[in-house]
Amino acid sequence: NRLSFTADGKKIFFSARSQGKDRLIVFDIEKRTIVKRIAPAVDMVMMPRISLDGKYAVFVGATLGVTDVYRIHLETGKTDKITDDNFSEKDPTLSADAKYIVYSSNKNNEGNLESATYHLFEKNLETHETRQLTHETGKQTSAQFYENKSNDKILFVSNHTGIQNIYILDR
């Protein structure tokens, strides 16, 4: 799983299982207390990441073994399902302005649900358009927007050469 920090570095955001249910947790580091606990309507919560402004979070939710990317408004709990397919998704991240979500998926034109190749995909939350950002073989994972003030560049990990390295993608 993964931890992320609020922009001020005072709180951590993660998922944990409590009372038989996966939950999103906002934890105040100084006070050593849980500030918020949200239980999305999915079987499992994985790879959560909080937005820079602390208003939203993205995560991978699994229901009946099928994973999809979700965005949740942390104040209201309103949850939007970003992907809705049988392919495997992982590592979602929000742009600084919360207009884009980038995630990894093994989605492919052949419909091979077992594909070990993962590409980066971008979902525009205003137009609802999705586009594939990478086309290399292997796995492209762990996307992160490079700068907080721009959506232009994305750091990610790829093993397309046989060795995992970090790359920068210019959108």
Side-chain angles (χ1 to χ4, degrees):
N1 227 327
R2 139 172 87 186
L3 294 172
S4 64
F5 290 83
T6 55
D8 62 8
K10 294 182 179 183
K11 296 179 186 84
I12 57 174
F13 182 70
F14 59 95
S15 66
R17 193 151 187 88
S18 172
Q19 301 171 337
K21 181 101 176 110
D22 277 10
R23 300 172 194 281
L24 294 167
I25 308 288
V26 179
F27 184 84
D28 188 304
I29 297 168
E30 273 185 24
K31 296 177 183 174
R32 295 182 179 209
T33 186
I34 294 173
V35 176
K36 186 170 282 288
R37 187 179 290 144
I38 302 168
V42 295
D43 298 335
M44 289 178 63
V45 175
M46 301 169 285
M47 303 173 197
R49 185 170 282 163
I50 197 165
S51 64
L52 283 177
D53 63 9
K55 292 180 183 178
Y56 293 95
V58 291
F59 64 93
V60 172
T63 303
L64 300 174
V66 177
T67 60
D68 283 298
V69 175
Y70 293 82
R71 178 182 67 165
I72 188 166
H73 190 282
L74 293 174
E75 202 53 40
T76 66
K78 181 182 181 300
T79 305
D80 299 313
K81 193 174 192 180
I82 302 304
T83 62
D84 191 4
D85 57 37
N86 290 324
F87 293 99
S88 178
E89 285 86 21
K90 56 173 69 175
D91 300 329
T93 189
L94 272 165
S95 60
D97 59 9
K99 291 181 182 178
Y100 299 95
I101 294 176
V102 173
Y103 59 93
S104 296
S105 176
N106 71 342
K107 187 174 184 173
N108 58 78
N109 293 332
E110 295 78 33
N112 178 3
L113 300 177
E114 303 298 322
S115 175
T117 298
Y118 280 76
H119 293 289
L120 297 183
F121 289 83
E122 167 188 277
K123 176 79 170 202
N124 182 319
L125 296 173
E126 292 176 342
T127 66
H128 304 288
E129 291 179 48
T130 301
R131 72 179 181 129
Q132 186 173 332
L133 298 175
T134 59
H135 300 278
E136 292 81 9
T137 58
K139 290 183 180 178
Q140 282 60 236
T141 60
S142 305
Q144 175 70 47
F145 283 88
Y146 181 62
E147 297 176 306
N148 292 340
K149 59 185 181 262
S150 167
N151 296 333
D152 293 341
K153 294 187 171 126
I154 298 169
L155 290 170
F156 67 100
V157 175
S158 177
N159 69 353
H160 73 272
T161 64
I163 300 170
Q164 287 192 340
N165 283 303
I166 299 171
Y167 295 86
I168 293 181
L169 172 74
D170 190 332
R171 292 180 55 245

